[in-house]
Amino acid sequence: MDLPMILAGPIIRRVEKHQVYLWMATSNRHPIDAEFYQIYTNESPYSYKKIPIQTDVQSIRLGQCLFVHLIKVTPVRNSFPTEILIGYNLFFKKALQTFSLLDFGMLDSDHPSSIVYPPFHFPTFIIQENEANSFLYGSCRKLHGKGEDSLACGDDVLEEKCMDITQRPNSLFLLGDQVYSDDIPDPMIRVISQLSKELMGKEEDLSLVDPRIGKEPFQTNLQQIHGRQYISENFAEITSRHAHNHVMTFGEYAVLYLLGWGQELWDYAHQKGLFSSFEEELASGHIHFVYHNHSPYQKEYQKELQQHQIRFEEQLEDIGEFRHSLPKVRRLLANIPTYMIFDDHEITDDWNLTSNWKKHVRNAPLGKHIVSNGLCAYWIFQAWGNDPEPFSSEFIQIMSFYLRRKDPTAPFYESWSEFLWKFQDWGFVAPTNPRAVFLNTRTMREYDPEPRPTSMGKVISESNSSPILINDSEWKRTEQRLLHSGWKKGEKLIIIAPSPLYGVDLYENLLHQYVYPFEVFGFPVETSFDYEMWKYNLKGVQSFLERVQKWEPKDCFLLSGDLHFASAVKAQIKFKEKEPFTIHQYTSSPLKNRSFNGLYGFLFTLSMEWKAKKKMKNTIEKFCNPTTQVIYEDETNGFVWKELLDYLQVGEKGAVDVDNNVGLLTTDYSHYIYKKKDHQTIKIKTKN
């Protein structure tokens, strides 16, 4: 059976009046052409007029049967029409035949692969030169995340508003953890590995990176379900607690993206019989056990066997919810300009969390290789379409050299890996109105050497400070990008930060006061609890606020995710002897990874809501003193900056909502979250 020709896409990426980029993945290299149509909705039936365009396609071969294409479409006459619906079709030449999206069922609204909203004949988008009405955003979407996939709610919103250009969302912002490379469900890891071999044409030989992998039991463990935790921790120095099925090869990273954005590979894998039941995997010896089924470990083996089976079947059900959403997710991505930034799970949990983490992983050949593969995959599946300009011909050439052979013994291998580790231009500005600046909070950190006091009972110690998420050079680079984009002081501004500047204090203080002190006993707090929020290093908070103060936006909207709950905060900030300014922060998370479940989830959610409701009744006043400590007493003569925080009601009950959700921001200060309830999309407005 042949692989499907289209593996993912089309996805609309960067959209401007002088150029439009579309992204897609195919199993063969075919010349691609595009047609754009201006849609006249004031006529019945709608009429479609071709727009004269030029199509330039840059294609990169990732494997024997995997090609990714970035399709650049430019207008022949000056610029594309703005504030009007534009439809598009793509054409693929094969020998003497030409196929379009219609031939794949994508333009038939009754077909399972449809990417059109009735009554349109084509997928559509808008180039807005005037101020856009609204933006969809969210983060954290995991294959086996709990609950329904709320990214599908975005499709419902767009379908409802698709004909109304004044209400239709202008862009989709994906704020991090679009995939979970370190947390792969048991029923999927062998499927992912087998699909990787088919797409790449051969298996990536990790024993060339670390010879220990070529020996037993590691060679077998690598191919088994739940068999990679020890390898990840001890060979790669990776700290994820869920790395039992961590993807490691470039092909595995690539397959993970393809499975997240469309149903083709899912259908192909089922037709090929790549999915197996737990019983089949067990009988074939494909499940890794810590304990062997012989004396004296039979009791431990039976306990482990039961855990494997319960987890496998539970994850299989959660995966079903994910797959159910894919037709709607794919249609959404084909009809709205989409901009993406990484958090940590695109590469691995705790990525660059501390200076020691970065040093240890970089010095481990397998760890460095896994991170490099993850970055390379992130570039081609996400970053390339955000803004192609920073990725020079040299960058693409270095990536292409590696992808042709994926040989760690080749002369170019080290330059490929080093180039990715040192690359600095992952942040970007989306050409929306208002502009949206995406912050890189992962690879341009500063690891504060100043010790911080920690105590637990009578034990007093000095420990490492939490990281500053963006160093000074990256802030300067971000400012240059923003000004280069045409943005000017006094205009509205959207800032995208994967982690919120203002969290929920109960959650943050719980870690800070009752968990972090365990570090004095050598407990790895940072890697166990992701101890890296902005709040934990106020030097980073101060640099953030100073930058916004300098930029002087008319209105500043801060969109974030990461924490697995929705919240909204209005922050008024005043630096001494400077004019006050306001940040409207909205957090939408997770798209599909409901984390607060069971009794623990109920109690934790209840505590957060109780604390948040108290806060909603009062404005909270905080002061930062010259030693960058937050205090609540009025220090009128000594403060560096002060904040007045108002927590808003974002959910049905209070200031947090822990259900899977996608956010919608309108630039008239309205904010909504959408979530699924009994497979129906419900809408909740944030209350000021």
Side-chain angles (χ1 to χ4, degrees):
M1 167 179 243
D2 293 333
L3 282 159
M5 188 181 122
I6 295 178
L7 298 174
I11 301 175
I12 300 182
R13 300 306 315 274
R14 191 177 183 91
V15 167
E16 302 173 81
K17 65 179 182 179
H18 297 297
Q19 59 188 8
V20 171
Y21 288 94
L22 297 97
W23 181 100
M24 71 183 316
T26 63
S27 60
N28 293 284
R29 187 193 296 274
H30 299 293
I32 301 175
D33 203 357
E35 284 186 358
F36 276 21
Y37 313 90
Q38 185 169 332
I39 303 175
Y40 294 89
T41 56
N42 56 350
E43 301 177 7
S44 184
Y46 295 166
S47 63
Y48 300 81
K49 180 183 177 182
K50 276 190 183 181
I51 301 172
I53 61 170
Q54 178 178 324
T55 306
D56 297 295
V57 182
Q58 195 162 11
S59 301
I60 295 182
R61 186 172 194 165
L62 309 187
Q64 182 175 309
C65 299
L66 179 56
F67 299 81
V68 162
H69 317 274
L70 193 63
I71 305 159
K72 180 181 180 181
V73 182
T74 53
V76 171
R77 301 171 190 161
N78 298 322
S79 61
F80 287 117
T82 60
E83 320 300 330
I84 195 167
L85 285 166
I86 296 175
Y88 69 92
N89 195 1
L90 296 176
F91 299 85
F92 311 87
K93 294 181 181 178
K94 184 178 181 181
L96 299 177
Q97 293 181 293
T98 299
F99 303 92
S100 79
L101 296 178
L102 180 65
D103 296 294
F104 299 95
M106 294 185 182
L107 306 185
D108 179 357
S109 59
D110 295 323
H111 195 279
S113 297
S114 173
I115 58 171
V116 299
Y117 294 113
F120 298 125
H121 296 165
F122 304 101
T124 59
F125 65 95
I126 300 171
I127 304 173
Q128 284 192 282
E129 201 168 21
N130 298 329
E131 186 174 289
N133 175 69
S134 60
F135 304 88
L136 288 163
Y137 74 101
S139 74
C140 307
R141 182 168 173 258
K142 188 166 73 170
L143 279 174
H144 57 301
K146 292 294 180 185
E148 298 182 53
D149 187 352
S150 62
L151 189 54
C153 297
D155 177 74
D156 293 332
V157 174
L158 200 58
E159 182 175 28
E160 180 186 354
K161 305 292 186 182
C162 66
M163 291 181 286
D164 187 348
I165 62 172
T166 65
Q167 296 297 315
R168 175 174 172 149
N170 172 259
S171 300
L172 169 64
F173 301 146
L174 298 178
L175 281 57
D177 299 340
Q178 278 68 262
V179 295
Y180 279 69
S181 305
D182 63 297
D183 192 356
I184 305 297
D186 288 359
M188 293 302 302
I189 182 58
R190 284 185 53 78
V191 176
I192 289 172
S193 295
Q194 290 174 79
L195 288 172
S196 170
K197 293 171 191 174
E198 291 206 34
L199 294 176
M200 297 299 106
K202 65 176 182 177
E203 186 176 6
E204 190 175 317
D205 189 355
L206 294 177
S207 69
L208 297 177
V209 180
D210 190 325
R212 292 174 291 182
I213 292 179
K215 301 175 182 178
E216 292 297 342
F218 310 115
Q219 188 174 29
T220 297
N221 294 352
L222 196 67
Q223 309 303 322
Q224 289 181 311
I225 294 168
H226 223 63
R228 300 185 178 187
Q229 186 72 41
Y230 185 90
I231 295 172
S232 298
E233 290 180 1
N234 293 279
F235 295 1
E237 297 288 341
I238 282 171
T239 56
S240 172
R241 292 167 293 139
H242 303 285
H244 305 87
N245 300 312
H246 202 305
V247 298
M248 295 183 174
T249 68
F250 175 83
E252 290 173 344
Y253 273 101
V255 169
L256 191 54
Y257 280 108
L258 297 173
L259 291 173
W261 290 344
Q263 63 267 41
E264 277 81 3
L265 273 189
W266 292 88
D267 295 341
Y268 175 78
H270 271 283
Q271 292 164 8
K272 287 274 289 186
L274 300 185
F275 286 93
S276 300
S277 67
F278 177 80
E279 290 74 18
E280 289 170 329
E281 298 286 22
L282 181 64
S284 301
H286 292 157
I287 299 177
H288 173 70
F289 285 85
V290 175
Y291 291 100
H292 297 290
N293 189 22
H294 54 66
S295 180
Y297 300 120
Q298 285 95 338
K299 185 177 179 180
E300 289 84 354
Y301 173 85
Q302 289 299 322
K303 182 179 179 180
E304 192 177 356
L305 173 62
Q306 185 181 30
Q307 291 174 347
H308 276 306
Q309 185 166 9
I310 291 172
R311 182 176 56 248
F312 190 99
E313 292 173 354
E314 184 178 309
Q315 290 178 347
L316 203 59
E317 183 178 341
D318 295 327
I319 292 166
E321 289 284 359
F322 185 94
R323 192 180 176 200
H324 175 77
S325 73
L326 284 173
K328 295 177 73 63
V329 168
R330 186 191 194 171
R331 184 170 66 166
L332 172 66
L333 296 175
N335 285 272
I336 188 169
T338 303
Y339 303 91
M340 316 174 186
I341 190 67
F342 49 50
D343 198 1
D344 57 344
H345 291 285
E346 277 87 357
I347 311 301
T348 185
D349 192 20
D350 303 330
W351 179 37
N352 292 342
L353 182 59
T354 66
S355 59
N356 280 337
W357 190 101
K358 188 173 183 179
K359 179 178 68 176
H360 291 158
V361 173
R362 189 167 187 165
N363 288 337
L366 182 61
K368 185 177 182 181
H369 182 75
I370 290 170
V371 171
S372 300
N373 273 335
L375 277 169
C376 189
Y378 168 75
W379 164 65
I380 203 158
F381 285 90
Q382 296 198 64
W384 198 17
N386 290 328
D387 184 3
E389 186 177 329
F391 305 108
S392 63
S393 57
E394 179 192 15
F395 184 104
I396 294 173
Q397 187 179 48
I398 291 173
M399 298 304 109
S400 298
F401 278 162
Y402 171 72
L403 291 168
R404 285 174 197 164
R405 293 177 59 189
K406 304 178 190 68
D407 182 3
T409 65
F412 55 78
Y413 172 77
E414 194 60 34
S415 61
W416 164 78
S417 184
E418 281 295 314
F419 198 88
L420 283 165
W421 276 74
K422 293 178 180 178
F423 188 73
Q424 298 181 345
D425 277 324
W426 298 118
F428 66 97
V429 178
T432 52
N433 188 2
R435 291 286 189 266
V437 56
F438 284 67
L439 303 182
N440 169 11
T441 60
R442 279 286 161 189
T443 71
M444 298 300 294
R445 295 181 164 196
E446 180 180 335
Y447 300 105
D448 191 351
E450 184 177 335
R452 60 184 300 167
T454 306
S455 62
M456 187 71 167
K458 294 182 179 181
V459 181
I460 299 174
S461 178
E462 291 182 327
S463 58
N464 294 327
S465 294
S466 298
I468 296 172
L469 300 189
I470 298 179
N471 64 26
D472 188 58
S473 64
E474 177 62 11
W475 274 122
K476 291 176 181 176
R477 193 176 290 105
T478 300
E479 183 171 299
Q480 290 170 357
R481 294 186 194 111
L482 185 58
L483 297 178
H484 179 72
S485 74
W487 183 86
K488 297 179 179 62
K489 285 185 179 182
E491 296 179 346
K492 291 182 178 180
L493 179 64
I494 300 173
I495 299 176
I496 307 296
S499 181
L501 189 66
Y502 301 103
V504 174
D505 280 356
L506 176 68
Y507 180 67
E508 294 176 332
N509 291 340
L510 179 70
L511 292 179
H512 187 66
Q513 296 178 17
Y514 301 109
V515 176
Y516 188 79
F518 278 96
E519 190 180 58
V520 301
F521 300 117
F523 187 76
V525 171
E526 291 96 340
T527 56
S528 297
F529 294 94
D530 289 350
Y531 196 80
E532 55 182 336
M533 300 171 191
W534 289 93
K535 174 180 177 176
Y536 296 147
N537 194 312
L538 289 178
K539 295 177 184 177
V541 174
Q542 181 165 326
S543 62
F544 191 120
L545 297 178
E546 285 176 339
R547 196 62 55 168
V548 177
Q549 170 78 59
K550 179 183 177 183
W551 291 343
E552 298 180 14
K554 176 184 177 183
D555 294 308
C556 183
F557 302 96
L558 174 57
L559 302 184
S560 61
D562 184 44
L563 295 183
H564 295 193
F565 50 76
S567 65
V569 181
K570 180 181 178 182
Q572 294 178 291
I573 297 101
K574 173 72 168 70
F575 278 86
K576 200 169 183 180
E577 299 179 355
K578 293 184 180 179
E579 289 296 314
F581 61 95
T582 301
I583 294 177
H584 306 268
Q585 178 188 280
Y586 300 105
T587 301
S588 177
S589 172
L591 290 169
K592 190 183 190 303
N593 195 9
R594 195 181 193 278
S595 299
F596 301 103
N597 301 297
L599 179 61
Y600 160 75
F602 172 76
L603 294 174
F604 190 70
T605 303
L606 195 66
S607 299
M608 281 200 298
E609 287 176 349
W610 174 76
K611 186 79 171 180
K613 279 181 179 178
K614 289 182 66 178
K615 289 187 172 188
M616 285 165 53
K617 297 177 183 178
N618 301 289
T619 296
I620 300 166
E621 189 169 22
K622 296 181 179 180
F623 298 84
C624 180
N625 66 22
T627 61
T628 62
Q629 293 177 323
V630 166
I631 52 180
Y632 291 88
E633 295 81 14
D634 188 345
E635 294 284 337
T636 306
N637 296 320
F639 74 88
V640 178
W641 85 84
K642 67 178 180 179
E643 300 171 330
L644 299 177
L645 301 181
D646 290 303
Y647 285 79
L648 312 179
Q649 182 175 332
V650 70
E652 296 170 283
K653 299 178 182 178
V656 295
D657 195 306
V658 299
D659 291 330
N660 294 340
N661 65 91
V662 65
L664 180 77
L665 169 70
T666 68
T667 50
D668 65 355
Y669 301 105
S670 295
H671 179 262
Y672 306 84
I673 61 169
Y674 292 83
K675 59 183 183 178
K676 290 284 186 181
K677 197 169 186 177
D678 299 324
H679 294 283
Q680 299 296 316
T681 294
I682 63 172
K683 174 182 178 181
I684 304 170
K685 184 176 182 180
T686 298
K687 297 179 181 179
N688 293 321

